[in-house]
């Protein structure tokens, strides 16, 4: 029908044809609205139940509207109302109405926002702090509907009138305000303890906590989608000057203000949003009423800096060279490749482009391995990289594949990726036999093993391997098949032999490493809980002797997840009251402690990495003061007695007796080792004890139940050799006895070799310095020769002397110039992709060393300058991506996540980054540079622009990484959506409300807040358009801009948020609704 609408200045009458109500159809009175709403809901229910074809639905919907005329927003609300649950049944009917023109995009947006969790939190916090809780849509529905609307716009849909274009802007402004308020509120009200309810049992017992955690997981994806939707609107062809011009200055100001605030929530696309904001500002500049008034200096520099600066619209997030840098950084030191770390980063970079993500992950992983081969890295490092390619990458792809949609398949991605893997670098075994040079013995035939691992995970068929590989593989799948963690855990119960077999299989290149590591880690935690020290000793002792297995283990588990329960067990270790022999107790303690020492020394772990925060605990004292010697006066009376017993047992009697061990707990013994050696060397130098007696007595410490003390002793001896004024002759003789014993038992041999590996780096330098000072000594070279076999044990990201010399002596700038050269080589390589080009010489150890030597500020300035120069040469997007990955790459200094015991309500401990004034990350320095950027805008705009762009990109990546702390290791976007579906299923469970409330209160404290959050912007839509912008919500026409979403529906007779419009609606086909009347 034709609506008579008077413009805001009453200067003219304007007739508007309502495109969403059939011409000539009467308006429904407010008295009839509720009845019509119910009839529409029943109509949709019948349509969904009968699976009506879309062609029949078009006819039926028109007849239904003739009989029960409703505004478009009300029709959309009837379908989207959470009490009907219709959208989950079949969403195609709602969008069929959109395509047919019976409802519009602003209709759907307004109806969706009315029951949205975002709008409810915003509205209730601002206007109804004591409002009773009402049913709202789960966030997944918002996510799905917005996604569908975005696809409709991308496929060419556009509003039929300019009025609806303006309405879309106004409603979208309210969405942005709701999102801003929800983001602030959620950050305060979310309780980390909600994660404990994130399981099937928690969904039933603690539905509120479960739902809160699911919303917490889904919110980043929802936030990004809303930003993407806004971006789609701004960049679409129908959004132009006509839309901007029809909005009043007030509405434009509110839209710009909301979009400016929202940009900070989605920094990964903020640059493109800034383009849209700049367009709106340019349109405003030609308007009659200036947006910012007459004060041109009121923060405009800051505004331009934050919102206008932008690179060309070139997608820089899919750069393979950036991913190459990131994967290299993950393994520069100890492996930092936990599933959550990698998957979160990949999802942040690729934003749903699963094909590019999967292909680039495989190609970049092969590139990193090829680079390591070309650099002639040491064998342990090559082995770890190979295991990552063969075991880790198929494991990741198998998780990513759950989010694939046809026609995309894992096999297609794998086949495409291997086209970019150089067969000359990774030849087949058959080619190697025909090649005199052959392939690296450590790397081997990686392509074949990778494909077999993919087949094991079901990503490809085994029959497809010859076609992809180019020849028939010379081996097949493992005879034991694919392992699953839970099955392995069950096999290991009361079966120590099977447990040790699994430890031996961690190093296999067959694709089963993830399941084995998961099982071994869980078994270790279980054994610590049950205090089965004999079985635990076996697995810990076996792992400590296998450094390669440790590297593979840390590709799937964090140090804290393995070592925290071990540390707790060692700290609380006590003799039983009826303890029989004490030697087995020392032996169990030694085997468990050895794993802790091995990981601590190999990866240079901190106390935070171990999960300990009590400075008085045994483990904390061992690493803090274990090398400090004490005089007799500083020792307690009990320690004096224990030390005397040990000295007599070693040097005066026939050995360490049960009496000595029974009066000294294992913890007390290890804390006395340094003092014991200090007193022994002192007594020998004063001729109170002969050197031969010392050597014979200390030989007893080489038994398996004492041998971890050798790690402390050799470290103390290394420090004494380096200290001036000590008796080097005695020290070297003791070193010979401990490092080169005449005989060792079978178990002790492997443990002894492991300990020499731990301390080799500590011993080498003082011995070489002593050899240089006393070249005539003949007893040092044999020790140095023994240490050569244990070189390169450390995996802490440190660079070799050769590398440091090369970087610091780079011509024309030293270390800074070496970084420039590396950056430019990465950029040059990236510009030639996707051709098969050998990767550039790169190791992230160069960046780690630069931060330590020239400082994080100088390192960052080099990166910023390079990005600035490359931007001027039209290489900005790629340069920005490379610099971003360098800055965002995790380092061993990053704080570990808290280990959570699934049996407890709250995390067992909390951890924060230990204070360190000397270590400032590149990201921290970038924040400091950003603070100075506005000052540089006039003098050096290029640098200021680069800092802003780089900071935006970095914060986008890191914001997503922060969400990984709440994500289970194998959770992806698809799993999050499935979790939300489980939430909706919970809604159908009949439960005692009081019991649920009590249970929810038990899991988390009351989080009620008195927040003064703005409910949203009050927009004057009538002034915006020059006429009243009717939303078809009432007889007189409702002003969307000046009303809340409650008002949109309540003012039209639909009711407020708390009205139970559908409360009496029974979804019964015979309930006042005859479907057959419509022609079915």
């Amino acid at each position: 029908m034709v609506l008579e609408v008077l413009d805001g200045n009453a200067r003219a009458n304007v007739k508007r044809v309502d495109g969403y109500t059939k011409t000539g159809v009467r308006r429904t009175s407010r008295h009839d609205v509720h009845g019509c709403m119910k009839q529409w809901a029943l109509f949709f229910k019948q349509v969904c139940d009968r699976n009506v074809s879309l062609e029949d639905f078009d006819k039926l919907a028109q007849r239904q509207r003739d009989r029960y005329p409703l505004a478009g927003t009300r029709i959309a609300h009837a379908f989207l109302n959470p009490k009907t649950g219709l959208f989950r049944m079949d969403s195609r009917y709602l969008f069929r109405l959109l395509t047919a023109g019976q409802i519009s995009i602003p209709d759907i947006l307004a109806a969706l926002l009315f029951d949205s969790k975002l709008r409810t939190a915003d509205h209730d916090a601002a206007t109804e702090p004591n409002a009773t809780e009402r049913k709202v849509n789960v966030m997944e529905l918002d996510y799905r509907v917005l996604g569908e609307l975005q696809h409709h716009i991308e496929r060419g849909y556009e509003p039929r009138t300019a009025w609806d274009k303006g309405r879309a802007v106004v409603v979208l402004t309210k969405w942005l305000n709701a999102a801003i308020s929800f983001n602030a509120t959620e950050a305060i009200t979310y309780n980390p303890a909600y994660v404990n309810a994130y399981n099937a049992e928690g969904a039933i017992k603690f539905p509120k906590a479960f739902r809160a955690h699911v919303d917490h997981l889904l919110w980043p994806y929802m936030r990004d989608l809303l930003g993407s939707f806004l971006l789609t609107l701004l960049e679409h062809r129908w959004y132009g000057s006509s839309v901007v011009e029809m909005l009043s200055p007030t509405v434009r100001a509110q839209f710009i203000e909301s979009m400016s605030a929202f940009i900070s929530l989605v920094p990964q696309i903020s640059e493109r949003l800034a383009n849209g904001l700049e367009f709106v500002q340019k349109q405003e500049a030609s308007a009659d009423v200036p947006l910012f008034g007459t004060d041109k200096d009121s923060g405009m520099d800051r505004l331009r800096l934050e919102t206008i600066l932008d690179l060309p619209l070139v997608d820089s997030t899919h750069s393979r060279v950036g991913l190459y840098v990131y994967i290299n950084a993950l393994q520069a030191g100890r492996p930092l490749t936990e599933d959550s770390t990698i998957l979160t980063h990949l999802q942040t970079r690729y934003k749903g482009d699963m094909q590019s993500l999967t292909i680039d992950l495989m190609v970049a992983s092969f590139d990193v391995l090829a680079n390591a081969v070309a650099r002639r890295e040491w064998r342990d490092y090559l082995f770890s990289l190979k295991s990552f390619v063969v075991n880790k990458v198929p494991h990741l792809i198998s998780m990513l594949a759950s989010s694939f949609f046809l026609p995309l398949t894992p096999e297609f991605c794998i086949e495409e990726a291997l086209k970019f893997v150089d067969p000359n670098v990774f030849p087949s075994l058959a080619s190697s036999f025909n090649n005199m040079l052959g392939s690296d013995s450590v790397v081997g035939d990686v392509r074949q093993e990778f494909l077999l691992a993919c087949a094991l995970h079901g990503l490809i068929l085994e029959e497809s391997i010859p076609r992809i590989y180019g020849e028939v593989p010379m081996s097949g799948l493992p005879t034991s098949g694919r392992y699953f963690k839970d099955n392995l855990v069950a096999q290991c119960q009361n079966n120590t032999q099977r447990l040790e077999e699994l430890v031996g299989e961690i190093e296999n290149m067959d694709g089963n490493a993830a399941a084995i590591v998961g099982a071994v880690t869980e078994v270790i935690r279980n054994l610590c809980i049950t205090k089965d020290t004999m079985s635990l000793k076996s697995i810990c002792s076996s792992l400590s002797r296998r450094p390669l297995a440790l590297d593979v283990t840390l590709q799937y588990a964090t140090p804290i997840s393995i070592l925290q329960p071990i540390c707790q067990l060692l700290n609380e270790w006590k003799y039983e009251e009826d303890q029989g022999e004490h030697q087995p107790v020392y032996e169990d303690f030694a085997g468990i402690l050895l794993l802790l020492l091995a990981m601590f020394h190999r990866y240079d772990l901190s106390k935070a990495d171990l999960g300990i925060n009590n400075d008085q605990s045994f483990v904390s004292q061992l690493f803090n003061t274990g090398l400090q010697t004490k005089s007799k006066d500083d020792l307690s009376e009990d320690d004096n007695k224990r030390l005397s017993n040990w000295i007599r047992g070693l040097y005066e009697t026939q050995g360490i007796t049960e009496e000595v061990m029974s009066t000294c707990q294992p913890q007390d013994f290890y804390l006395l080792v340094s003092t014991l050696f200090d007193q022994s060397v002192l007594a020998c130098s004063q001729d109170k004890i002969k050197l031969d007696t010392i050597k014979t007595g200390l030989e007893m410490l080489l038994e398996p139940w004492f041998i971890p003390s050798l790690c402390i002793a050799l470290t103390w001896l290394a420090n004494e050799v380096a200290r001036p004024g000590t008796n080097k002759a005695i020290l070297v003789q003791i070193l010979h006895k401990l490092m080169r014993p005449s005989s060792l038992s079978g178990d002790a041999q492997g443990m002894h070799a492991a300990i020499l590996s731990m301390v080799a780096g500590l011993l080498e330098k003082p011995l070489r310095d002593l050899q240089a000072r006393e070249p005539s000594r003949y007893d040092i070279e044999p020790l140095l020769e023994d240490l050569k076999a244990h070189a390169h044990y450390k995996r802490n990201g440190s660079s070799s002397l050769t590398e440091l010399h090369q970087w610091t002596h780079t011509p024309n700038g030293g270390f800074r110039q070496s970084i420039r050269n590396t950056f430019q080589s990465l950029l040059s390589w990236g510009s030639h992709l996707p051709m098969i080009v050998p990767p550039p010489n790169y190791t992230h150890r160069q960046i780690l060393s630069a931060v330590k030597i020239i400082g994080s500020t100088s390192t960052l300035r080099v990166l910023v300058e390079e990005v600035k120069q490359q931007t001027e040469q039209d290489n900005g997007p790629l340069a920005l991506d490379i610099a971003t990955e360098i800055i965002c790459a995790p380092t061993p200094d990053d704080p570990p996540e808290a280990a959570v015991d699934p049996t407890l309500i709250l995390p067992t401990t909390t951890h924060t980054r230990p204070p360190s004034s000397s270590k400032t990350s590149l990201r921290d320095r970038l924040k400091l540079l950003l603070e100075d950027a506005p000052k540089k805008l006039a003098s050096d705009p290029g640098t200021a622009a680069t800092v802003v762009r780089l900071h935006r990109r970095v914060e986008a990546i890191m914001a997503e990484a922060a969400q990984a702390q709440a994500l289970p290791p194998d959770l992806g976007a698809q799993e999050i959506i499935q979790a939300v579906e489980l939430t909706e299923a919970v809604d159908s469970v009949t439960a005692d409300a009081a019991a649920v409330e009590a249970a929810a209160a038990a899991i988390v404290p009351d989080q009620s807040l008195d927040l003064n959050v703005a409910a949203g912007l009050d927009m004057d839509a009538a002034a915006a358009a020059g006429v009243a912008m009717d939303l078809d919500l009432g007889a007189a026409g409702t002003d969307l801009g000046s009303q809340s979403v409650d008002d949109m529906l309540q003012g039209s007779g639909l009711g407020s948020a708390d009205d139970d419009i559908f409360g009496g609606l029974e979804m019964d086909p015979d309930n006042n609704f005859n479907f057959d009347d419509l022609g079915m």
Side-chain angles (χ1 to χ4, degrees):
M1 65 178 177
V2 179
L3 301 178
E4 298 287 343
V5 184
L6 187 64
D7 70 4
N9 296 321
R11 289 178 296 184
N13 288 332
V14 180
K15 291 185 178 182
R16 177 166 70 91
V17 177
D18 182 356
Y20 308 103
T21 302
K22 185 178 179 180
T23 302
V25 175
R26 62 179 176 85
R27 285 271 186 189
T28 305
S29 68
R30 294 185 179 183
H31 179 75
D32 297 333
V33 167
H34 286 202
C36 291
M37 290 287 292
K38 291 184 178 182
Q39 291 300 324
W40 272 96
L42 289 170
F43 166 73
F44 285 132
K45 177 67 165 58
Q46 287 282 351
V47 167
C48 293
D49 287 344
R50 299 195 181 190
N51 194 24
V52 175
S53 68
L54 294 179
E55 292 75 12
D56 290 339
F57 175 77
D58 291 338
K59 301 176 183 177
L60 292 171
Q62 187 59 55
R63 296 176 189 175
Q64 176 72 0
R65 191 156 192 177
D66 291 343
R67 295 182 59 184
Y68 302 102
L70 277 178
T73 304
R74 296 195 192 109
I75 295 176
H77 187 255
F79 199 88
L80 296 172
N81 190 282
K83 295 179 181 178
T84 64
L86 291 169
F87 186 84
R88 295 192 51 76
M89 299 177 64
D90 200 333
S91 62
R92 57 182 175 148
Y93 297 118
L94 178 67
F95 294 104
R96 186 68 172 187
L97 292 176
L98 176 64
T99 304
Q102 296 206 41
I103 60 176
S104 65
I105 283 183
D107 290 334
I108 297 177
L109 287 175
L112 184 66
L113 183 59
F114 179 70
D115 288 310
S116 171
K117 180 71 174 288
L118 272 63
R119 201 280 314 182
T120 303
D122 176 26
H123 181 73
D124 292 347
T127 62
E128 303 176 35
N130 299 319
T132 57
E133 184 177 357
R134 68 183 182 88
K135 191 175 181 65
V136 296
N137 283 321
V138 293
M139 197 175 293
E140 183 215 6
L141 188 140
D142 295 348
Y143 186 90
R144 292 171 59 186
V145 174
L146 279 179
E148 286 285 345
L149 289 177
Q150 182 176 351
H151 291 324
H152 271 72
I153 296 175
E154 291 172 344
R155 288 195 294 263
Y157 173 85
E158 59 182 90
R160 300 174 62 181
T161 67
W163 308 110
D164 280 316
K165 296 177 184 179
R167 291 169 61 205
V169 174
V170 174
V171 180
L172 192 55
T173 302
K174 291 188 176 292
W175 269 98
L176 298 180
N177 290 333
I180 294 167
S181 296
F182 180 85
N183 188 76
T185 304
E186 201 267 351
I188 300 174
T189 59
Y190 176 74
N191 192 316
Y194 291 155
V195 70
N196 298 287
Y198 188 65
N199 50 58
E201 182 180 2
I204 303 298
K205 293 184 177 179
F206 315 112
K208 289 186 177 180
F210 180 87
R211 182 184 292 275
H213 184 65
V214 171
D215 288 342
H216 177 72
L217 298 179
L218 189 57
W219 168 235
Y221 298 95
M222 178 64 195
R223 181 186 60 209
D224 293 345
L225 177 61
L226 183 57
S228 179
F229 184 88
L230 174 62
L231 189 62
T232 300
L233 182 145
L234 295 177
E235 295 179 345
H236 199 273
R237 63 177 182 272
W238 59 258
Y239 182 86
S241 59
S242 60
V243 176
V244 179
E245 290 171 355
M246 71 179 295
L247 301 176
S248 71
T250 302
V251 174
R252 290 202 305 271
Q254 292 168 341
F255 179 50
I256 292 174
E257 181 180 350
S258 299
M259 191 163 69
S260 299
F262 183 76
I263 283 177
S264 63
L265 303 185
V266 283
Q268 63 274 9
I269 58 173
S270 62
E271 294 170 357
R272 298 176 66 191
L273 284 176
N275 268 354
L277 178 58
E278 183 181 11
F279 171 78
V280 177
Q281 289 173 322
K282 287 180 178 179
Q283 294 296 327
E284 184 277 334
S286 61
D288 295 335
V289 182
L291 176 61
F292 294 98
T294 58
D295 185 2
K296 298 298 183 180
D297 299 325
S298 57
M300 289 303 295
D301 283 347
R302 183 82 183 185
L303 180 63
R304 283 195 297 269
L305 188 65
E306 293 293 336
T307 61
I308 298 179
L309 292 174
D310 191 23
L311 290 173
L313 291 178
V314 177
D315 188 0
S316 61
T317 60
H318 290 186
S319 159
R320 201 175 92 201
V321 63
L323 190 57
Y324 167 77
V325 169
Y326 182 78
I327 294 178
N328 194 303
L330 291 178
Q331 304 190 77
R334 76 166 187 259
L336 301 170
T337 57
E338 312 90 81
D339 293 347
S340 62
T341 299
I342 296 180
L343 292 178
T344 302
H345 188 81
L346 292 175
Q347 290 170 1
T348 302
R349 285 179 59 84
Y350 289 88
K351 292 298 178 188
D353 186 355
M354 302 306 297
Q355 177 174 323
S356 298
L357 184 159
T358 308
I359 294 175
D360 285 358
L361 172 62
M362 288 183 279
V363 178
S365 299
F366 274 98
D367 285 338
V368 171
L369 180 57
N371 171 60
V373 173
R375 286 177 50 83
R376 300 185 180 275
E377 299 278 6
W378 57 91
R379 296 173 64 86
D380 285 11
Y381 184 60
L382 290 175
F383 181 91
S384 179
L385 293 179
K386 178 183 178 183
S387 181
F388 181 85
V389 171
V390 175
N391 287 310
K392 183 74 177 184
V393 173
H395 167 69
L396 293 173
I397 297 175
S398 66
M399 290 190 289
L400 293 170
S402 63
S403 300
F404 284 12
F405 296 98
L406 293 176
L408 183 64
T409 63
E411 181 170 330
F412 170 80
C413 294
I414 293 169
E415 189 170 359
E416 288 298 308
L418 289 185
K419 293 178 181 178
F420 298 100
V421 176
D422 191 349
N424 296 318
V425 180
F426 303 108
S428 64
L429 289 178
S431 301
S432 299
F433 291 148
N434 296 328
N435 187 349
M436 295 298 296
L437 296 178
S439 61
D440 188 277
S441 59
V442 176
V443 174
D445 189 15
V446 181
R447 290 188 299 137
Q448 174 181 295
E449 291 170 328
F450 170 75
L451 288 173
L452 289 172
C454 290
L456 183 73
H457 283 268
L459 302 174
I460 60 175
L461 298 175
E462 187 176 5
E463 294 77 14
S464 302
I465 295 179
R467 175 177 56 81
I468 301 174
Y469 185 48
E471 59 185 65
V472 178
M474 301 183 68
S475 60
L477 299 179
T479 56
S480 55
R482 183 180 178 184
Y483 287 162
F484 296 92
K485 186 193 75 171
D486 294 339
N487 295 341
L488 297 180
V489 171
Q491 294 173 19
C492 294
Q493 291 181 352
N494 303 319
N495 190 343
T496 306
Q497 182 179 356
R498 178 54 177 157
L499 195 56
E500 293 185 2
E501 290 175 356
L502 288 179
V503 172
E505 293 182 35
I506 291 178
E507 300 175 27
N508 291 352
M509 299 291 176
D510 56 10
N512 275 322
I516 297 175
V517 171
V520 169
T521 302
E522 183 169 332
V523 169
I524 288 178
R525 296 183 66 89
N526 293 339
L527 293 177
C528 289
I529 294 173
T530 60
K531 296 186 177 180
D532 183 356
T533 57
M534 183 177 296
S535 300
L536 185 61
K537 180 259 298 184
S538 298
I539 185 173
C540 290
S541 179
S542 180
L543 267 176
S544 63
R545 298 193 299 266
R546 299 174 179 270
L548 297 181
L550 289 179
D551 292 345
V552 176
T553 298
L554 289 193
Q555 290 183 4
Y556 305 90
T558 59
I560 194 173
S561 66
I562 301 171
L563 297 180
Q564 186 184 43
I566 289 178
C567 291
Q568 185 174 354
L569 178 66
L570 294 176
N571 289 334
E572 300 173 355
W573 194 292
K574 294 181 180 179
Y575 285 147
E576 300 292 340
E577 293 183 0
D578 56 347
Q579 188 72 54
E581 296 184 16
H582 294 80
Q583 178 180 312
V585 177
Y586 264 79
E587 188 169 359
D588 291 349
F589 191 94
I592 299 171
L593 177 61
L594 191 64
L595 176 60
L596 173 61
L597 293 172
M599 296 185 69
F600 182 85
H601 284 277
R602 183 167 178 81
Y603 306 113
D604 278 353
L605 302 180
S606 65
K607 288 197 301 181
D609 294 318
L610 305 180
I612 56 177
N613 52 13
N614 181 2
D615 290 338
Q616 301 304 315
S617 65
F618 160 69
V619 175
S620 184
Q621 291 185 66
L622 180 66
F623 294 125
N624 284 344
T625 62
L627 296 178
Q628 296 178 7
T629 60
K630 296 181 180 180
S631 65
K632 295 186 109 181
D633 295 336
D634 295 332
L635 292 173
S636 66
E637 183 178 352
D638 290 338
D639 284 342
N640 263 311
K641 291 179 180 179
R642 297 184 186 109
L643 181 61
S644 299
N645 290 339
W646 280 98
I647 290 177
R648 283 195 298 269
L650 290 172
Y651 307 131
E652 297 179 8
T653 63
Q654 297 300 316
I656 305 301
T657 63
E658 274 290 314
E659 180 181 359
V660 174
M661 289 185 284
S662 65
T663 58
C664 182
Q665 293 273 359
Q667 300 99 316
D668 297 325
F669 162 67
Y670 286 100
L671 293 178
L672 285 174
V673 169
S674 295
T675 301
L676 174 62
F677 272 76
D678 181 62
Q679 293 293 321
S680 300
V681 172
L682 180 62
C684 183
S685 62
Q686 296 177 355
D687 293 331
K688 295 180 179 180
I689 303 178
K690 294 183 179 180
L691 181 58
D692 289 342
T693 302
I694 295 288
K695 293 163 64 176
T696 302
L698 294 179
E699 192 172 13
M700 283 186 278
L701 298 182
L702 297 175
E703 294 295 340
W705 43 91
F706 298 135
I707 199 167
S709 65
L710 192 63
C711 182
I712 304 170
L714 292 176
T715 304
W716 181 85
L717 289 168
N719 293 337
E720 288 297 294
V721 171
R723 188 165 66 90
T726 56
N727 193 325
K728 304 300 190 290
I730 296 177
L731 296 174
V732 172
Q733 287 300 308
I734 294 177
L735 281 173
H736 267 272
K737 187 62 179 178
L738 297 180
M739 292 177 58
R740 315 184 76 197
S742 56
S743 63
L744 286 171
S745 63
D747 291 339
Q749 287 181 0
M751 301 171 77
H752 184 267
I755 291 173
L756 287 183
S757 297
M758 300 177 206
V759 300
L762 299 173
L763 281 168
E764 182 179 7
K765 187 177 187 306
L767 288 176
R768 290 201 180 277
D769 291 344
L770 179 59
Q771 187 183 48
R773 291 194 303 268
E774 303 178 20
S776 60
R777 296 189 66 107
Y778 64 89
D779 52 355
I780 297 179
E781 188 60 32
L783 297 178
L784 292 173
E785 286 295 324
D786 290 344
L787 293 177
K788 286 182 179 179
H790 305 281
H792 304 302
Y793 179 78
K794 292 282 191 179
R795 285 292 304 276
N796 58 359
S798 298
S799 302
S800 66
L801 294 176
T802 303
E803 290 175 331
L804 292 176
H805 184 272
Q806 176 185 353
W807 296 328
T808 55
H809 290 77
T810 302
N812 304 320
F815 217 136
R816 292 172 178 79
Q817 185 60 39
S818 72
I819 298 175
R820 295 188 187 97
N821 295 343
T822 299
F823 194 95
Q824 292 167 11
S825 66
L826 289 170
L827 191 75
S828 175
W829 180 61
S831 63
H832 288 86
L833 298 178
M835 297 186 297
I836 298 181
V837 181
N841 186 336
Y842 178 75
T843 173
H844 199 70
R845 296 193 300 270
Q846 181 182 16
I847 302 299
L848 299 178
S849 298
V851 171
K852 294 177 181 178
I853 295 175
I854 65 175
S856 56
T857 301
S858 297
T859 304
L860 181 61
R861 291 189 184 279
V862 172
L863 296 177
V864 170
E865 185 64 26
E866 282 299 312
V867 174
K868 172 188 172 183
Q869 293 180 3
Q870 295 300 330
T871 301
E872 295 170 352
Q873 300 174 19
D874 295 331
N875 294 323
L878 184 58
L880 190 64
D881 190 44
I882 296 173
T884 299
E885 293 303 291
I886 291 176
I887 296 173
C888 291
T891 70
D893 293 330
D894 293 337
E897 299 174 14
V900 178
D901 187 339
T903 65
L904 301 178
I905 294 298
L906 297 175
T908 55
T909 57
T910 57
H911 306 287
T912 57
R913 182 190 295 273
S916 175
S917 58
S918 60
K919 293 182 179 179
T920 303
S921 68
L922 294 174
R923 182 190 179 194
D924 294 335
R925 287 298 178 189
L926 182 59
K927 293 179 181 179
L928 296 177
L929 287 182
L930 181 67
E931 295 178 1
D932 295 333
K935 301 176 184 177
K936 290 183 173 293
L937 191 59
S939 60
D940 192 356
T943 299
T946 301
V947 170
V948 171
R949 295 186 184 106
L950 191 56
H951 179 264
R952 285 176 180 166
R953 190 67 56 82
V954 168
E955 291 307 309
I957 297 291
M958 300 308 293
E960 293 290 343
Q963 297 294 330
Q965 296 181 0
L967 294 176
D970 57 350
L971 187 65
Q974 187 67 22
E975 287 76 7
I976 291 177
I977 294 177
Q978 293 173 357
V980 179
E981 292 175 352
L982 177 58
T983 305
E984 293 188 335
V986 172
D987 293 338
S988 64
V989 177
T990 303
D992 183 3
V996 172
E997 285 289 338
I1003 190 172
V1004 290
D1006 182 17
Q1007 294 292 331
S1008 60
L1009 297 174
D1010 184 13
L1011 298 178
N1012 185 19
V1013 183
L1017 298 175
D1018 291 332
M1019 296 192 171
D1020 184 4
V1027 294
M1029 292 177 58
D1030 183 13
L1031 285 184
D1032 276 344
L1033 296 177
T1038 302
D1039 179 6
L1040 175 64
S1042 61
Q1043 292 186 318
S1044 69
V1045 183
D1046 275 326
D1047 295 333
M1048 298 178 203
L1049 301 177
Q1050 185 178 16
S1052 303
L1054 184 57
S1056 69
D1058 298 320
D1059 289 341
D1060 191 3
I1061 297 172
F1062 296 97
L1065 178 62
E1066 299 177 3
M1067 286 302 183
D1068 187 335
D1070 299 323
N1071 183 19
N1072 299 323
F1073 183 82
N1074 190 345
F1075 195 80
D1076 293 331
D1077 289 345
L1078 296 180
M1080 286 297 292

